[in-house]
Amino acid sequence: MDYIVMDLEWNQNPYGKSNYHNDMPFEIIEIGAVRVSENREILDSYQQVIHPRVYKKLHYKIQEITHFTNEELSHGKDFKRAIVEFLDWCGDDYMFCTWGSMDLTELQKNMRHYKLERILDFPLFYVDLQKMFSLRYDDGHMKRTLTSAVEFLNIEEDKGFHRALSDAYYTARVMQTMDYEKYKDRLSIDTFYPPRIKEEEIFVRFDQYTKLVTREFLSKEDLFEEEEVRSLKCNKCDKPLDVLIDWFSDSGKTYYCLGKCNEHGYVRGKIRVKKLEEDSFYAIKIMKSTDEEGANGIYEKQENIREKRRERRQRSLEKEIVVDEIWEEEEDDD
C-alpha cells in the first residue's frame, strides 16, 4: 500500500459571503500530491491546476498567498476531468495523508457539487499528519501550521510554501522525519458521508481508545436511546464500567462521562453530536483510558459547567427582580 500525501489550494468568493455557494464555499484550483511507499520513500508526484467555474475571479487574499494569476487558472483543467485523472493516478491500493482534515472535506464538497458523490472508499480512513505531529511533539490538541512543523524539524526549505505540490512535498518530508512508526496506527476517519444504516456504523479499537461513528438519527433523543451510544464500557475489555459520572453536556453538542474498570482503571468518554444538512444527527463516541489526573479533569469540567449554569440562573433571577421593581414603581406612579 502507498500513501498519497495530498494538498489542495482553493479559491473563495471574491465579493464576500453574500453571494457564495452554500454547498461549496471553497472551490479547488490546484491539486498536488506525492506518492510515498510504506517505508516512506517518495516515489512519484502529481500536480494539476483547475479551471474555476464557480468563483472565476481570484480572491485577493488567495492571490496574495498562492501567487496564482487569473490567466494561469484560465488554462487549467476542468475539475471533473482532473479528479478522474487524479484518482486514476492514485491507483487501487493507497491511503490519503493530509495536513489536517480540511482537504478531504473540501475535496468531497467539490466532488458533490459536480455530482461525483461517494466515489471514495467507505469508511474512509486516512492519516492526519497534523494530529500525529501534535501527539508526538505538542499536547495532542495544538494544531501547528505546516510551515511551523517544517521549521521545528529543521527540514530544508528548498521550495516555496502555499502551492499544492510543494506543500504535499513538505508534508511527506515531515512524515519521513518524525517518529511516524510510533503513531502510524492512529488513523483518522473521514465522516463527510456518515453511516446511513446500522450495518455501516464504524467501530475501531486503538491502543488507548475506541471510536464509534453512528448512523443517522432523526433527533438527539433517538440517538441517546441507542444502547451502544449511552452505554459505558471499557475500551480494553468491553466490560461495563462502574459509573462515576454519567453523561453530561456543556452545550448539547459535546457530552462527557467517567467510569472505572476493575481491571483497567479509569475510562473517560466523549460524544460529539454532529448535525447534518437534512436536520438529522449522528455521533462520534470515544472511550479512552485515563489516569487519576484525567479523571479529576472530568470532575472539574462537570463542576465548571454547573457553576456557569448557577451564574446564568442568578443573572436571570436578578434581571427578573429588576423588571419587577420597575413595574412596581410604574404602578405606584399611576
Side-chain angles (χ1 to χ4, degrees):
M1 181 196 73
D2 293 335
Y3 295 102
I4 301 298
V5 184
M6 178 184 68
D7 187 82
L8 305 173
E9 301 297 334
W10 51 68
N11 189 27
Q12 62 193 78
N13 187 10
Y15 308 109
K17 294 184 178 180
S18 57
N19 295 312
Y20 81 105
H21 284 245
N22 289 326
D23 71 327
M24 194 173 70
F26 303 107
E27 183 175 17
I28 295 171
I29 55 176
E30 186 180 32
I31 301 172
V34 174
R35 187 188 303 279
V36 177
S37 67
E38 287 192 80
N39 60 3
R40 289 178 286 160
E41 178 186 357
I42 294 177
L43 303 174
D44 196 7
S45 64
Y46 175 90
Q47 187 270 343
Q48 181 60 58
V49 174
I50 309 295
H51 183 190
R53 302 292 183 185
V54 178
Y55 307 124
K56 297 180 181 179
K57 181 180 178 181
L58 274 169
H59 190 286
Y60 76 96
K61 277 291 185 183
I62 303 298
Q63 192 166 19
E64 184 180 296
I65 293 170
T66 64
H67 303 294
F68 267 116
T69 65
N70 286 296
E71 182 181 358
E72 186 178 359
L73 292 182
S74 68
H75 297 295
K77 186 170 287 189
D78 178 76
F79 177 81
K80 278 189 173 183
R81 292 185 178 182
I83 200 65
V84 169
E85 179 184 276
F86 170 60
L87 294 177
D88 184 59
W89 175 83
C90 289
D92 297 322
D93 189 16
Y94 68 92
M95 179 176 291
F96 283 123
C97 173
T98 60
W99 191 260
S101 62
M102 196 170 178
D103 282 289
L104 273 176
T105 298
E106 298 309 320
L107 175 63
Q108 291 176 96
K109 282 184 179 179
N110 278 245
M111 291 171 69
R112 183 177 63 184
H113 178 82
Y114 288 103
K115 312 300 181 187
L116 301 171
E117 298 187 70
R118 297 184 179 270
I119 292 176
L120 302 180
D121 289 340
F122 181 88
L124 182 55
F125 290 90
Y126 70 101
V127 175
D128 182 346
L129 205 63
Q130 185 185 53
K131 181 180 78 173
M132 290 186 180
F133 186 94
S134 183
L135 289 169
R136 170 61 181 88
Y137 298 104
D138 297 315
D139 60 0
H141 301 286
M142 178 180 175
K143 294 184 177 182
R144 283 181 185 260
T145 64
L146 179 59
T147 307
S148 173
V150 168
E151 291 174 353
F152 182 89
L153 294 175
N154 295 315
I155 294 171
E156 182 184 359
E157 298 180 23
D158 53 355
K159 304 176 186 296
F161 285 90
H162 306 303
R163 287 296 295 261
L165 183 56
S166 58
D167 283 2
Y169 166 78
Y170 281 123
T171 304
R173 291 288 291 115
V174 171
M175 190 181 194
Q176 289 177 323
T177 308
M178 67 175 284
D179 300 333
Y180 178 73
E181 289 298 318
K182 186 176 179 180
Y183 296 92
K184 68 178 184 179
D185 294 329
R186 297 288 190 94
L187 298 177
S188 297
I189 305 171
D190 178 82
T191 56
F192 184 79
Y193 292 111
R196 293 167 293 186
I197 56 176
K198 178 74 173 177
E199 288 72 24
E200 288 185 352
E201 289 187 336
I202 304 164
F203 179 81
V204 186
R205 191 184 306 278
F206 296 102
D207 53 348
Q208 292 297 315
Y209 65 96
T210 59
K211 178 180 281 191
L212 169 69
V213 182
T214 74
R215 65 191 185 279
E216 300 176 31
F217 292 86
L218 293 177
S219 68
K220 291 182 184 179
E221 291 74 20
D222 291 342
L223 192 154
F224 277 96
E225 284 180 5
E226 186 76 8
E227 172 65 22
E228 291 184 31
V229 175
R230 68 174 186 270
S231 64
L232 276 68
K233 293 182 180 179
C234 177
N235 58 294
K236 298 282 190 181
C237 63
D238 286 332
K239 292 180 180 177
L241 299 172
D242 293 332
V243 180
L244 303 179
I245 301 178
D246 208 348
W247 294 107
F248 68 95
S249 176
D250 56 351
S251 61
K253 294 181 180 179
T254 308
Y255 295 77
Y256 306 91
C257 74
L258 180 67
K260 193 170 187 180
C261 175
N262 292 330
E263 183 179 355
H264 299 107
Y266 290 112
V267 178
R268 59 192 296 177
K270 184 176 183 179
I271 293 176
R272 289 181 180 170
V273 178
K274 304 276 191 175
K275 186 175 182 180
L276 296 167
E277 295 172 359
E278 299 81 7
D279 288 331
S280 57
F281 301 85
Y282 73 98
I284 300 174
K285 176 184 178 182
I286 294 175
M287 300 298 293
K288 185 175 183 179
S289 298
T290 191
D291 53 16
E292 192 166 345
E293 183 180 354
N296 289 333
I298 297 295
Y299 281 107
E300 291 174 6
K301 186 180 288 290
Q302 185 185 49
E303 184 54 38
N304 289 337
I305 291 172
R306 286 174 173 171
E307 182 61 31
K308 288 178 181 178
R309 287 174 179 168
R310 284 193 288 265
E311 291 175 358
R312 285 198 296 267
R313 284 196 296 268
Q314 183 62 33
R315 286 196 297 268
S316 178
L317 181 60
E318 290 172 355
K319 286 180 181 179
E320 289 177 6
I321 292 172
V322 170
V323 170
D324 288 341
E325 289 176 347
I326 292 172
W327 275 103
E328 288 174 3
E329 290 177 1
E330 290 179 350
E331 288 173 356
D332 289 342
D333 290 341
D334 292 341

